[in-house]
Each structure stands twice: as C-alpha cells, then as structure tokens.
Amino acid sequence: MVGYAFMGAAHSQGWRTAGRVFDLPLRPELSVICGRDAQAVQAAADRHGWASAETDWRALIARDDVDLVDICTPGDSHAEIALAALAAGKHVLCEKPLANTVEEAEAMTSAAEAAHARGQIAMVGFNYRRLPATALARRMVAEGRIGTLRHVRLTYLQDWLADPQSPLTWRLRKEQAGSGSLGDLGAHIVDLAQFLAGEQLTGVSALTETFVRRRPLPGAQAGGLSAVAADGTGEVTVDDAALFTGRFPSGALASFEATRYATGRKNALRLELNGERGSLSFDLERLNELWYHDATEPDEHAGFRRILVTEPGHPYLEAWWPPGHGLGYEHTFVHQARDLVHAVAEGRTPEPSFADGLQVQRVLAAVEESAEKNSVFTPIAV
Ligand code: SOE
C-alpha cells in the first residue's frame, strides 16, 4: 500500500478483515506500506498491521513479496505509481478519482488493458457501490422493480469547509487534488448514478463555484505549497461546490450536487431513483436502510417502505451478523478487498475497472468545461 492517511487506514482495515469474514480463494498478506516520513509510516505499519515499511514507492514496487499495489495517495501521484506498478507486473487498486486529468486516466487505462493480457488486474476504488443497500438498489433496478427510469437524483453533502478559517490543505489545490468537491464527492455520485442506472451519461450542464478563495496555511504546509502570500494565506484553486444535470441514453434525466459547505450534513450521500413502476431512496447517514415505493400497488396503501438491508440474502450480508445488527462505512472497504481478491483469483477484470474510472474522469472534465461555458450542454467523449 502506498499512502497511510484516512484512505490508507480504511483500506488497511479492509485488507485485514476480508479474509477473516469471507471465504476467499487467496489470502491477502499485508506485506509493506509506504510513505515519505520514515517515523510516521513505521507507526502506520504498526497500527494497521503491515509487516514492514518503505519510504520510497519505487522500492515497494521492486519487491518480490508484493503482488498487488493499493494506491491511497492524493490524485497527483496515482498515474505515476499505477503505471510503474503495472509495468512491474503487479495487480493494482487505485483510490478514486482514478487520476487528476483525462489524459492520465487514458494512459492508466491503456496500461491496465495491456496488463490484463498478461494476467494482471486493475480496479478503481469507488467503495459506495459496495454497500449492501446500494448493491441491493442496483439489483432491484436490474430486476425491473422500478421499471423504466425517469429521474436519477444524487447529492453528496458535507460541511467541513463551511468555516472560512479551515486551512488550505492539499484537497484545495488543483495541482494535487485535480479538482475540489467535484473530484472528491462528485466522482462518487457520478459512479453510483451510472452503476445504479446501468448506463452512462451522454452529456452534462454544470455550475461550479469557489466560495472562499483564500485560506490560512497551517505552518507545516507553507513550505510545500506554491502561491503563499505574506499574510499566511494561500489561494484555493479548486471548486467548492458543483451542481450539474445530465442525460442518460434511455432518456432518463440525472441531477447531481456535490458540496463541502452544507452545514449540518456530515457525509450525506443521498440518492433517489424514480421509475415508471416505483422509486428507491437511500441516505448514507442511515446506510443500512433502502426505501422502496412500489407504484403498482393501489394508492390507498402504497407508500415508501423501509427495507432493513441486513438479511443474509442481501448483497455481502451472507458472511456478517444476524439480521438487524447493521454494518458501517468501513465495511465497504472489506467488500472491496473481497471482490478484488475474487477478480484476481479468477483472472477477470473487476468492476469498476480503470476504463470505468476513465469514463467518470471524462464526466468530471465535461462538468468543468460546461461550467466554464456558463452551463452549455457538454457531450461526454466516448
Ligand atoms: C472527504 O471529503 C471524503 O473522505 C472523500 O474523500 C471520500 O472519498 C468520501 O468517501 C468521504 O469523504
């Protein structure tokens, strides 16, 4: 694993747990974790159960005891690490968004496709597909339970930037993060919308805004960032919020909102799908529940009803706790590790593949282009 902050910790938990809960065809071994700060990465190795630590990701890739490289770094290093790992014959898991630019994502996808011919597997980490409730929603859409889709409506609301004094971290600099709430949160809801609908957006119309254009620099970061002013602030070079609409080939309409300024909303990824036969609704802050309205029932007793997604027949639940005991955010990473191990053992390209990650990157680029042109409908390149 390269990177050991929030995502590194979450993925580590997934790798540690997957083989203890699910029967896997291969056993994940946590061989080596990498980060630039020797002391900090050793502490991360000890905490998260990695057998050793490296400070140079090239040294990690060169090791014979590494078969799979899990990339948990900021977006600016995804392409370089993934390309080197694929060239060295390793399988790759890469955190979302796949890259910072369409060009990088294209290079990564070509390399992954060439590597697949040599038996290597590459996957991008859109973990919210792997919640039992969203996986069940996908299953119900595919079974036709809500019929032809009309509306696909997703919002992803957080509030950790609402305070203008909140510092200028790497997530607020384009050269490191690629984009702001768009790549961080919008990428998730674009992937989820397309996963649930079973089709890909053909074009978008967008608005983006940066509400707070300068932010204080924490001392330790000042050295690492360009554009530092004498007043100790630096420029925010990414979007703070992105709103966009889109079209699906079936004729369904989609709407999206991604922001880190929705005060009171901590991790509110909400979705609603309306079809001609019914609707589905989900809120990540209540992630064991999926709400279903069956519009074919008589109006007198029809209505949204709660499906508590904890039954053994629900996706991923066969190996977990008895009904009603519930799962959490971290389980998505366990399921991600499980699905990837199966794909490696079976030699098949897993979903979401790098090609899926590239397609999301193209949607993000179209959103930025549309926003620059005052919401002009912008087709998504195929
Ligand atoms: C921060 O906004 C963040 O951690 C995202 O980077 C993750 O992808 C999302 O799952 C939760 O919020």
Side-chain angles (χ1 to χ4, degrees):
M1 174 175 290
V2 189
Y4 56 86
F6 176 19
M7 273 311 111
H11 284 219
S12 295
Q13 183 155 333
W15 288 117
R16 264 196 332 261
T17 310
R20 299 179 186 188
V21 174
F22 295 97
D23 292 326
L24 297 182
L26 296 167
R27 188 163 48 87
E29 279 175 14
L30 283 69
S31 307
V32 50
I33 189 165
C34 176
R36 280 171 296 193
D37 179 327
Q39 236 185 332
V41 75
Q42 186 55 54
D46 296 341
R47 174 176 290 269
H48 300 305
W50 294 86
S52 61
E54 294 276 4
T55 53
D56 177 357
W57 59 261
R58 290 182 179 81
L60 173 144
I61 286 174
R63 283 172 56 152
D64 291 337
D65 61 344
V66 172
D67 298 311
L68 186 150
V69 178
D70 183 353
I71 304 169
C72 292
T73 55
D76 58 338
S77 54
H78 286 186
E80 196 182 10
I81 300 171
L83 292 173
L86 289 167
K90 316 293 185 188
H91 307 295
V92 175
L93 171 62
C94 184
E95 241 316 297
K96 51 60 57 177
L98 183 60
N100 277 2
T101 65
V102 168
E103 293 69 32
E104 287 171 348
E106 281 170 348
M108 293 164 81
T109 303
S110 304
E113 285 169 359
H116 188 62
R118 304 190 296 267
Q120 291 165 248
I121 301 303
M123 188 170 101
V124 60
F126 284 116
N127 59 308
Y128 294 130
R129 289 180 177 216
R130 295 185 154 86
L131 284 160
T134 55
L136 177 63
R138 170 62 198 142
R139 190 199 281 176
M140 291 175 74
V141 172
E143 287 170 355
R145 287 187 185 267
I146 62 168
T148 304
L149 273 180
R150 301 298 188 212
H151 292 285
V152 178
R153 195 175 297 114
L154 290 97
T155 58
Y156 198 161
L157 314 176
Q158 297 183 346
D159 71 356
W160 54 275
L161 279 182
D163 177 359
Q165 293 307 311
S166 171
L168 185 78
T169 65
W170 67 268
R171 287 185 185 274
L172 298 171
R173 296 289 305 175
K174 189 173 174 61
E175 68 272 21
Q176 280 174 288
S179 64
S181 63
L182 179 61
D184 187 25
L185 307 179
H188 275 304
I189 51 178
V190 167
D191 177 68
L192 209 45
Q194 299 188 131
F195 167 66
L196 293 171
E199 51 183 343
Q200 296 186 335
L201 293 162
T202 57
V204 290
S205 302
L207 291 174
T208 58
E209 184 55 73
T210 304
F211 302 120
V212 177
R213 291 182 176 268
R214 300 198 71 82
R215 286 181 176 272
L217 287 157
Q221 283 180 353
L225 291 175
S226 53
V228 178
D231 66 357
T233 68
E235 192 186 354
V236 174
T237 51
V238 297
D239 62 279
D240 278 336
L243 271 65
F244 47 105
T245 53
R247 285 186 181 281
F248 282 112
S250 62
L253 297 179
S255 70
F256 302 88
E257 182 178 4
T259 179
R260 303 186 281 206
Y261 284 73
T263 51
R265 303 294 178 209
K266 300 299 168 186
N267 204 28
L269 190 171
R270 295 165 169 192
L271 66 90
E272 185 161 298
L273 307 181
N274 309 126
E276 62 172 349
R277 291 166 55 87
S279 297
L280 288 165
S281 169
F282 168 79
D283 179 350
L284 182 59
E285 290 183 343
R286 304 178 68 103
L287 57 76
N288 291 290
E289 300 173 2
L290 180 66
W291 291 81
Y292 173 47
H293 171 64
D294 181 350
T296 65
E297 286 188 359
D299 285 345
E300 290 71 31
H301 48 85
F304 274 93
R305 65 181 170 80
R306 184 185 71 143
I307 304 173
L308 189 59
V309 194
T310 58
E311 295 296 321
H314 286 143
Y316 300 107
L317 263 306
E318 76 277 5
W320 288 107
W321 318 122
H325 288 66
L327 301 191
Y329 168 75
E330 75 269 26
H331 295 86
T332 61
F333 300 99
V334 180
H335 302 161
Q336 178 169 278
R338 166 204 185 256
D339 291 348
L340 181 51
V341 168
H342 275 282
V344 168
E346 292 153 24
R348 87 185 135 72
T349 299
E351 287 182 358
S353 64
F354 274 22
D356 297 322
L358 165 60
Q359 193 274 339
V360 170
Q361 208 70 43
R362 289 187 171 136
V363 176
L364 304 184
V367 167
E368 287 184 320
E369 190 183 328
S370 170
E372 273 163 28
K373 296 179 184 162
N374 290 319
S375 297
V376 162
F377 183 76
T378 306
I380 290 149
V382 183

